[in-house]
Each structure stands twice: as structure tokens, then as C-alpha cells.
Amino acid sequence: MERSSPPPYRRIVDAIRHRIDTGELTPGDRVPSTRRITQEWGVAMATATKVLTTLRQEGLVRAVPGVGTVVAEPRRTGRGAPARERRPGETDSGLSRDRVVRAGIKVADAEGLRALSMRRVAAEFGVSSMALYRHVAGKDELVLLMADAAFDDVELPEPAPDDWRARMEAGARLQWELYRRHPWLAQYLSLTRPQPMPRAMALIEWTMARVRGTDPVTLIHLALTLLGFVRATAAGFEDDLEAEQETGMDQGQWMATMEPVFEGILASGSYPMYAGVSDTDADLVTPDSLFEFGLARLLDGMATLVDAPRPAAAEGRAVHDHGPHERHL
């Protein structure tokens, strides 16, 4: 019976693996980008993306921010021989839950959450994926632990701002910088299906600690509105990371390739708002500028609620001003 041929992505993976094994590509060398793969092998972008994902999962390559996908350093066993994985029966005495979580964060920071797998994290240690299951139940638990551990790296300012607005602004900036360091984190968090993450909850509690005079329902709405704004604005960080890996172009290079297309659209005269900023500084609108603008406007709006006169206080003053008989009316 004739064997079926391997799928196209597998043939390309094997071809690139051969280049690595023969020394044509050495550690640190860039491997073909998804665009180069589509051109060289005549496959679709989805197939090219699967090629790089498979190579990462097998520990052959790694993503380097600002560079692209490069050949990974081979893992070595205790005897010095190169090894990508150990067999399940071999020792993993050097592993711990914390080390596994930190390795997962390292992979997700460099390659995005979609590239994360138990096998990919295991490749960081040169062990089989089965060795990880002694420390975490699976990928879902691993990502949850990663997210909570990321929040543990937040350093709260001392002294802490005492004014409610300054405290909320400081908390929002701490979240923003956290999402910058971990581009995958914002998209992982959910407002509709919140995860049990004590460290993240602690940051939100700290952020809201100086808001006074609101009921608990209003307070939680203020907290989640702020969290949702920062999270939504930062959600593009992972998209940009993955797009750079797939195309081999950073944001500036990609925008440069799109410039002629946008110029043609704006030339129609149908988009005056966009045309109004087309000749300004290219960095006029950035993720940071959107964050700063939106945060200021959001806190302005919250101030109309938080700083508004309290009805209860007004009633208390009215009772104090009336005579003793009127107080019982």
C-alpha cells in the first residue's frame, strides 16, 4: 500500500530542519519569514504560519523581538550532547512550578500566547512535555499562573498617591507598563469571565483605595471601566508582536509599505478627518498617545461622579438645621 505524502507544511518544516542540521543555518541565523516561505514554496500564508509555529514547538527556532525568527541554540544533556527533548522517564529534578511558569512567560513574551504550548515550554528545559505535567495540570492552568505571576512583578510607588484621581492614574499606568512588558497579557484577561488572580485583584484594590463616598456597585463599575480601557488599548501589543513575526516587518516598515495605498484612498477627498493628519508627524498617533488621551478623558468623566455633592451629606445638613419636631417628619 502506497504511503500518503506528508502535508505541505511538514515538508517545509523538514526542509528547514535539514538546513539547520547541515549547518546551512546556524544558531542566531534568521530562518525564512512567512512571506519568504509563501514565495519560495508557493503555499498560502496560513501554511507558512503553521511552519514557523511547528518549528518553535519543536524547539528549533525562537522569536527575537525586533529581529524575527532565528535558529535556537541546541539544548544539551548533562554529558554535553545536543538534545531537544529528554525522554519522559529521565529526571527533571531541576524543574519547579515557578521555573515552568517563568519559562512560559518568557516564551509568550517573545512569541505570543498562540505560540505557547506545553511542548514549546518543555523545549526551554530540554525535557519532554510530560515532565511539565508534574508541576502544572495543563496549558490552561499554566497560562493562569503566568498571568498572576506577571502581576507580582508590579512595584507599587512609595509613598502611594493619596488623592483618588492620582491613585487611579498611577494604577492605570502600572497596568499599561505591565502590558507593554507582557504583550499577551491584555488579551488574556477577561471582564466577562474573570479569572481567580489574587495578585491582579490586589493591584485593582490598591488603585481604587482612595475613592470615597460611592456605593460598592458604583465602585466596582469604576474599577472595571478603568481596567477595561487600559486592557482594550493595550490589546494591540500582541497583535503587533505576532504580525512582526509573520511578516518580518516592524510597525514602521509595515506602515511604509501601506503608505501608497492610504495615499490613494485619501486622494479621493472622502476622508477629510484622516487627510487632516496625513501630513503631520508619523508618531502623532501612537498607542501611548491613545492611552494618555483616553485616560485623561476617562478620569475627567469619573470626576463628575466621584467629586459630585453627596445627597446623604445634604440631607444630614438639612436635619441639623431644622428644629427637633421637624426632624421626625
Side-chain angles (χ1 to χ4, degrees):
M1 183 175 179
E2 185 178 349
R3 293 182 179 180
S4 60
S5 60
Y9 88 91
R10 188 70 249 180
R11 294 199 300 271
I12 301 171
V13 167
D14 292 342
I16 295 176
R17 176 192 287 273
H18 178 72
R19 295 181 187 181
I20 295 172
D21 291 342
T22 59
E24 181 182 345
L25 291 173
T26 60
D29 288 345
R30 284 191 60 177
V31 299
S33 65
T34 50
R35 185 172 56 175
R36 176 69 179 274
I37 291 171
T38 61
Q39 294 171 346
E40 186 172 345
W41 279 277
V43 295
M45 182 62 73
T47 299
T49 301
K50 191 171 184 179
V51 169
L52 293 186
T53 299
T54 303
L55 289 169
R56 286 197 295 268
Q57 290 174 341
E58 295 182 358
L60 292 168
V61 302
R62 62 188 179 92
V64 178
V67 176
T69 303
V70 304
V71 177
E73 292 286 345
R75 298 289 172 183
R76 296 183 176 273
T77 64
R79 296 181 179 179
R84 297 283 175 187
E85 281 193 353
R86 290 198 193 110
R87 296 181 181 274
E90 291 182 316
T91 180
D92 68 334
S93 58
L95 290 182
S96 66
R97 172 176 281 210
D98 182 66
R99 289 193 68 202
V100 171
V101 169
R102 290 296 168 183
I105 291 174
K106 176 184 175 183
V107 171
D109 286 352
E111 303 173 22
L113 202 57
R114 275 176 277 193
L116 185 78
S117 67
M118 297 293 280
R119 184 175 183 178
R120 176 64 187 85
V121 176
E124 290 292 302
F125 299 101
V127 300
S128 71
S129 56
M130 289 303 297
L132 303 189
Y133 288 100
R134 302 186 183 102
H135 305 280
V136 294
K139 180 180 175 180
D140 289 345
E141 182 187 31
L142 174 59
V143 179
L144 177 61
L145 293 170
M146 288 163 49
D148 200 40
F151 275 91
D152 194 41
D153 292 337
V154 173
E155 294 186 10
L156 299 176
E158 283 291 343
D162 195 54
D163 173 70
W164 75 264
R165 177 166 180 150
R167 179 71 74 94
M168 287 185 70
E169 182 176 344
R173 293 188 187 283
L174 289 171
Q175 292 176 53
W176 181 251
E177 291 305 320
L178 183 65
Y179 299 148
R180 271 204 171 282
R181 292 195 300 274
H182 307 292
W184 53 273
L185 184 56
Q187 290 202 23
Y188 173 71
L189 300 178
S190 173
L191 297 183
T192 57
R193 298 189 180 188
Q195 303 92 329
M197 295 168 51
R199 291 160 176 163
M201 294 168 66
L203 175 57
I204 305 305
E205 285 280 356
W206 180 90
T207 300
M208 305 305 296
R210 291 297 178 265
V211 179
R212 308 295 188 192
T214 61
D215 63 272
V217 175
T218 299
L219 184 62
I220 196 67
H221 275 80
L222 290 171
L224 294 181
T225 298
L226 181 68
L227 173 64
F229 161 72
V230 183
R231 170 183 168 273
T233 309
F237 290 152
E238 184 177 33
D239 290 337
D240 192 52
L241 171 64
E242 292 182 345
E244 182 173 335
Q245 292 173 356
E246 291 177 3
T247 65
M249 295 184 290
D250 61 25
Q251 186 184 37
Q253 292 170 326
W254 184 84
M255 287 298 294
T257 64
M258 292 293 105
E259 187 173 351
V261 180
F262 282 115
E263 287 179 350
I265 294 173
L266 296 180
S268 69
S270 300
Y271 305 94
M273 179 185 70
Y274 292 97
V277 297
S278 62
D279 294 329
T280 58
D281 186 348
D283 294 330
L284 186 67
V285 179
T286 66
D288 284 321
S289 74
L290 292 173
F291 169 73
E292 295 292 345
F293 181 87
L295 178 62
R297 304 294 80 75
L298 186 62
L299 294 176
D300 287 345
M302 289 182 173
T304 64
L305 176 65
V306 177
D307 293 335
R310 300 285 178 263
E315 291 172 4
R317 288 194 299 272
V319 169
H320 181 76
D321 292 340
H322 287 314
H325 298 290
E326 293 176 310
R327 293 178 189 174
H328 298 287
L329 295 178

